Amino acid sequence: MAVALVMAWLLWCVWLYWRARRAQPCANRGGHTLVAYASQSGTAAALAARRARQLEVEAGEASVNLLPLNQVSRQTLLAARKAVFVVSTYGEGEPPDNGVRFARQFLRPALHAGGAEAGGQINPALDLSHLSYSVVALGDSAYAQFCAFGRRLFEGMAAMGAQALAPLEQIDSGQIAAVPDDGSEGGEAGNRFWTLTARTLLNPGSPGAPLYEVTLSACGPLPTWRAGDIFVLQPRNAPEVVSAWLSARNLDGDLWISSQQSTRQLRDWLSERDLSTVAVESSELLRGDFSALPMLPAREYSVASVPREGNLKLIVRQQMQTDGGLGVGSGWLTAFSEPGARFAGRLRHNNNCHTIDHTPPMLAIGAGSGLAGLRAQLAERSGCASAGPAWVVFGERSETADCPLALELDNWLTGGVIARCDRVFSRGEVTGKRYVQDVLTGRADDVQAFVARGADIYVCGSRSGMGESVHRALAAILGEQALEALMAEGRYRRDLY
Ligand SMILES: Cc1cc2nc3c(=O)[nH]c(=O)nc-3n(C[C@H](O)[C@H](O)[C@H](O)COP(=O)(O)O)c2cc1C
C-alpha cells in the first residue's frame, strides 16, 4: 500500500513538472532567433537575409527564423529568445505593406493601451519580458518622418517588456551598400555593366514630361530576375555619367576627374559649384577609380521586362530638377547617353511584388511610368500557359498623346493575355476626364466578383499621385479588413514610389 502511495505521489510530481514546463514559453528553454523584416521594395528584406546568414554562420546560431513581419505571430514572439528587426518606413511614417498587420495587431495595442504612453507598464495582452531585441530602421532623411516605423517598433517592443540589446540603429537609404544575392529572400544580383541598346520615346507630343522605354543588354550573361524586381542604376560607377552630368551643367568634368587635388579640395570645388549633393567620400577618386565611391545616389526603377525577352527594359520618365537640369539617373538614361553607352547597375529582388502563381486572375492597376511594373507582370504571364485572365486598368494624361505601348497592350488583349483593358486619361479630351480609381469605383461589382474569383491585385506607379487613391477606392469596395487580409496573404501587392 505504502509503495503504491509513493508511486502515485511520484507520478503526481512528474505530471506537475511536465505541466509547468509546458506552460513556460519556449524561449525560457532556449528558443530560436527571429529575424523579421518589413520592406516595400526589398532593401530591408535583403539586409535582413544578410543579417540572418551572419547570425547563422558567424555567431553559430543554429535556428534563425527569417520572416516578413506580418508573418510574426504571438507564438513566434513567445517562442523566440532574441529578435532582430530590419524595417523600412513608407508613406508618411507608415509601415511597409508587409508590416501593416503586425503594427495593428501588436504595436497599436502596446503603445496605446498599456505601454510607453501609459507610464511604461507592460501591455497585459503580450508579455515579452523573456525576449531581447534590436531594431535596424531604414529610411530616407529627406522625409519628415525619418525612420518613423522603426522608431515605433522599437518603442512598441519595449512597451511589451522586451529588452533592447542595442539602441535603435537608423540607416539613411543613400548609405546602404549593395547586398549580395543568394537567391533567397531579398538580395541583389551583383553589380555589372549594361549597354544601352535602344531608347524609344513613348509619348511624343505629350503635355507631360517625356516617357521613354529604355532597353539595356547585359555585358556578360544575363542575370535572372522576376516581374516586380527593381533595377538599381549606379551612377557612381560610371565616369561617363559624372562627366556628362557635369558638362550638362557647363562644368568641366575632365578637370574634376583628372584633378590631382585632395579630397577636401575636391569637396570645396564641388560645393563652390553648388554640387554639394555630390559626396566625395574617398581619395579613390584621385586615382580615377569610381567603383568604390558613393558619389551620386543610386536611382531605382521597376523592371519592365522578363529575362525570357533577352534584355532588361525600363520605362523612365525624364525628371526635371529645380535648376532646370535633368535628373541624374533619368538624364543619363534618356538624354546624356547614346546607344552603346555602358554603365553599372544591379537588380534587387523584391519578393513582395512577385507573383508566385499566375494561375489566378490578376487586376493590374497603374499609371504613368507604373506601366513598367504592369508590363513585366504581363510579359511573365504571356510565358505561362495556365495564366488566369488579367484585367488592366491604366491611367495617363492626354488621350491623344499618351498611349504608351498601345500596340503591345492591344496585342496582349487580342492574344488573351489581357482579358480586359481600361485605359483612362486625366485630361480625357475625347472620352472625358477619368482616373484609375474612377474605373474601380464605377465597376465596383466587377472588382468584387473578380477578387471573389481569387484575383490578385497588383498596383504600380506613384504613391501620392495614384496609389493612395486606388487604396481608398479598393478599401471602399472590398472593405478595409478584407483589403488588409489580401495584403497579408500577398494577394494585394504594391510597387509604389
Ligand atoms: C513612397 C515612399 C515613401 C517613403 N516614406 C518615408 C518616410 O516617411 N520616412 C522615411 O524615413 N523614409 C521613407 N521612405 C524611404 C524608404 O524607407 C527607404 O527608401 C528605404 O530604404 C526603403 O526600403 P525597402 O526597399 O526595404 O522598402 C519612403 C520611400 C518611398 C518610395
Side-chain angles (χ1 to χ4, degrees):
M1 179 64 183
V3 173
L5 273 175
V6 169
M7 285 296 289
W9 180 78
L10 274 175
L11 278 171
W12 171 249
C13 289
V14 167
W15 183 76
L16 278 179
Y17 175 74
W18 175 79
R19 208 179 58 161
R21 283 287 307 248
R22 245 191 77 176
Q24 260 181 1
C26 302
N28 297 348
R29 289 180 265 137
H32 62 264
T33 296
L34 167 70
V35 178
Y37 59 88
S39 175
Q40 196 73 25
S41 62
T43 320
L47 276 179
R50 186 165 66 172
R51 198 59 70 99
R53 280 192 300 276
Q54 278 168 351
L55 285 171
E56 270 172 352
V57 176
E58 290 161 23
E61 299 200 15
S63 59
V64 176
N65 196 5
L66 177 66
L67 287 176
L69 195 57
N70 275 349
Q71 282 180 29
V72 173
S73 65
R74 196 185 160 85
Q75 286 88 332
T76 319
L77 290 169
L78 290 174
R81 178 174 50 86
K82 182 165 113 184
V84 177
F85 297 98
V86 187
V87 301
S88 61
T89 294
Y90 264 80
E92 285 164 31
E94 291 149 33
D97 288 350
N98 56 9
V100 168
R101 175 180 269 185
F102 183 95
R104 185 184 43 73
Q105 192 178 350
F106 298 113
L107 302 183
R108 201 184 290 168
L111 290 169
H112 291 273
E117 289 164 21
Q121 289 166 21
I122 293 171
N123 171 24
L126 194 56
D127 176 359
L128 297 182
S129 47
H130 67 281
L131 185 72
S132 46
Y133 75 100
S134 60
V135 177
V136 179
L138 266 61
D140 183 335
S141 52
Y143 287 87
Q145 304 285 333
F146 178 51
C147 291
F149 180 59
R151 275 187 273 125
R152 204 164 150 234
L153 178 61
F154 191 83
E155 285 163 18
M157 293 304 291
M160 289 183 274
Q163 309 297 316
L165 286 165
L168 172 70
E169 189 183 339
Q170 298 188 131
I171 302 181
D172 206 346
S173 49
Q175 301 167 3
I176 299 166
V179 182
D181 188 23
D182 69 353
S184 61
E185 305 275 349
E188 297 181 344
N191 228 341
R192 69 187 64 224
F193 280 100
W194 300 80
T195 305
L196 178 70
T197 47
R199 182 165 59 209
T200 313
L201 178 62
L202 297 176
N203 61 345
S206 169
L211 186 73
Y212 286 90
E213 182 184 72
V214 173
T215 306
L216 311 172
S217 66
C219 303
L222 192 67
T224 185
W225 70 86
R226 291 282 319 267
D229 286 342
I230 311 276
F231 179 70
V232 185
L233 174 70
Q234 299 269 276
R236 67 183 178 185
N237 280 353
E240 310 98 289
V241 179
V242 181
S243 304
W245 188 66
L246 292 172
S247 59
R249 288 164 172 73
N250 294 324
L251 296 163
D252 185 350
D254 290 337
L255 167 69
W256 176 28
I257 288 162
S258 63
S259 163
Q260 292 302 307
Q261 302 165 86
S262 71
T263 303
R264 199 197 154 93
Q265 283 170 315
L266 278 171
R267 203 191 293 271
D268 294 345
W269 187 88
L270 290 165
S271 75
E272 271 165 31
R273 285 155 183 81
D274 200 20
L275 296 169
S276 47
T277 51
V278 179
V280 181
E281 301 275 338
S282 151
S283 58
E284 302 282 306
L285 179 62
L286 301 176
R287 300 201 298 270
D289 175 6
F290 289 79
S291 59
L293 289 174
M295 286 175 43
L296 302 167
R299 295 292 188 270
E300 301 188 350
Y301 302 91
S302 307
V303 171
S305 61
V306 290
R308 190 169 38 81
E309 297 177 90
N311 50 37
L312 185 96
K313 285 184 193 295
L314 308 174
I315 294 178
V316 181
R317 176 88 62 196
Q318 206 171 68
Q319 302 291 332
M320 194 70 85
Q321 294 184 327
T322 41
D323 65 0
L326 295 180
V328 178
S330 71
W332 166 244
L333 288 169
T334 66
F336 302 152
S337 59
E338 293 301 328
R342 252 168 29 116
F343 56 91
R346 62 180 195 270
L347 284 152
R348 189 167 71 239
H349 298 307
N350 186 16
N351 299 11
N352 265 352
C353 288
H354 291 174
T355 303
I356 307 300
D357 178 10
H358 279 292
T359 321
M362 174 179 273
L363 174 53
I365 306 161
S369 56
L371 182 57
L374 305 194
R375 192 198 174 280
Q377 293 291 340
L378 293 165
E380 206 169 82
R381 288 174 96 78
S382 74
C384 170
S386 61
W391 174 7
V392 174
V393 183
F394 179 65
E396 255 294 357
R397 201 181 261 190
S398 158
E399 198 158 2
T400 48
D402 290 317
C403 293
L405 303 185
L407 191 62
E408 196 165 35
L409 291 175
D410 285 345
N411 284 340
W412 274 329
L413 194 59
T414 318
V417 175
I418 301 177
R420 169 170 167 177
C421 188
D422 288 300
R423 271 174 271 193
V424 289
F425 302 91
S426 58
R427 291 204 174 175
E429 299 90 335
V430 184
T431 53
K433 176 178 163 166
R434 275 203 310 162
Y435 295 95
V436 284
Q437 61 271 24
D438 300 332
V439 176
L440 304 174
T441 308
R443 304 269 176 207
D445 291 348
D446 292 354
V447 173
Q448 279 171 349
F450 210 50
V451 171
R453 279 171 62 194
D456 286 352
I457 305 173
Y458 185 82
V459 189
C460 189
S462 146
R463 182 176 189 111
S464 57
M466 178 218 44
E468 285 168 1
S469 316
V470 164
H471 185 81
R472 278 194 296 274
L474 289 171
I477 295 165
L478 302 168
E480 295 258 5
Q481 284 196 348
L483 196 59
E484 193 185 298
L486 288 175
M487 193 180 263
E489 286 167 39
R491 283 182 54 198
Y492 174 34
R493 298 186 293 276
R494 306 194 295 170
D495 177 2
L496 302 178
Y497 38 85

